[in-house]
Amino acid sequence: MLILGSLPGEASLAARQYYAHPQNRFWHLIGGVTGIDLVALDYDARLAAVQAAGIALWDTVASARRSGSLDSAIRHAEHAPLADLVARLPQLRAVAFNGRKASTIGRPQLARTQLALIDLPSSSPAYAAMPLAEKERLWGKLGEFLTHPLASAPRAPHG
């Protein structure tokens, strides 16, 4: 499975990490899908866990100008070559779009593929219109597309 965001926000760019803003719910939501407390892990362990679950992360925007972190502020966007990417991933079964902007950009590029295309509510703290429980329910549907057993994925320490 490939999960596509739009463009990393300021906190993520500064940290050089996906979904680095402390209020972004991505790691919580995808942790619910994998059954792993990803929030409790350091960044490298988070990446290893999602990779072990058969999940890859990327963005629909390759480059752009933006003041702040809101998708609505993205200007002069150069779209990532998604069709080229998925053509190199023969085991890929599904692409999930984290938020409306990612879907608006990514869906047209992948419309002719045989992949399942899944629109998700944004994990961003800026999207507060939907209760977290509803986001968890919708994100939980990704579980059917996981291809790898999770037994070997790193787990958060207890205590």
Side-chain angles (χ1 to χ4, degrees):
M1 174 183 353
L2 174 62
I3 300 176
L4 296 170
S6 56
L7 181 69
E10 289 180 329
S12 294
L13 292 171
R16 295 178 176 252
Q17 298 178 357
Y18 276 111
Y19 306 105
H21 191 288
Q23 292 177 326
N24 192 299
R25 302 301 290 180
F26 177 82
W27 296 110
H28 169 81
L29 292 166
I30 202 64
V33 174
T34 63
I36 300 167
D37 183 4
L38 295 172
V39 175
L41 301 175
D42 68 29
Y43 185 69
D44 289 336
R46 289 174 182 177
L47 292 180
V50 296
Q51 183 178 15
I55 300 168
L57 307 176
W58 211 34
D59 298 305
T60 58
V61 176
S63 67
R65 295 189 187 276
R66 177 175 64 191
S67 177
S69 296
L70 296 177
D71 283 351
S72 60
I74 294 174
R75 302 288 181 262
H76 309 292
E78 178 185 323
H79 299 173
L82 301 178
D84 293 343
L85 173 66
V86 302
R88 296 189 314 265
L89 301 172
Q91 294 182 329
L92 185 65
R93 297 174 41 211
V95 176
F97 302 102
N98 184 358
R100 182 173 293 150
K101 185 73 160 188
S103 179
T104 299
I105 294 169
R107 258 188 182 277
Q109 292 188 59
L110 301 176
R112 293 190 174 143
T113 69
Q114 298 299 313
L115 298 167
L117 303 178
I118 305 151
D119 293 332
L120 297 169
S122 176
S123 64
S124 169
Y127 181 60
M130 181 180 288
L132 180 59
E134 181 64 5
K135 288 184 182 185
E136 290 170 340
R137 185 185 72 77
L138 293 169
W139 278 71
K141 293 178 180 183
L142 297 180
E144 70 184 84
F145 295 101
L146 296 183
T147 58
H148 300 293
L150 301 177
S152 63
R155 300 232 175 239
H158 295 295

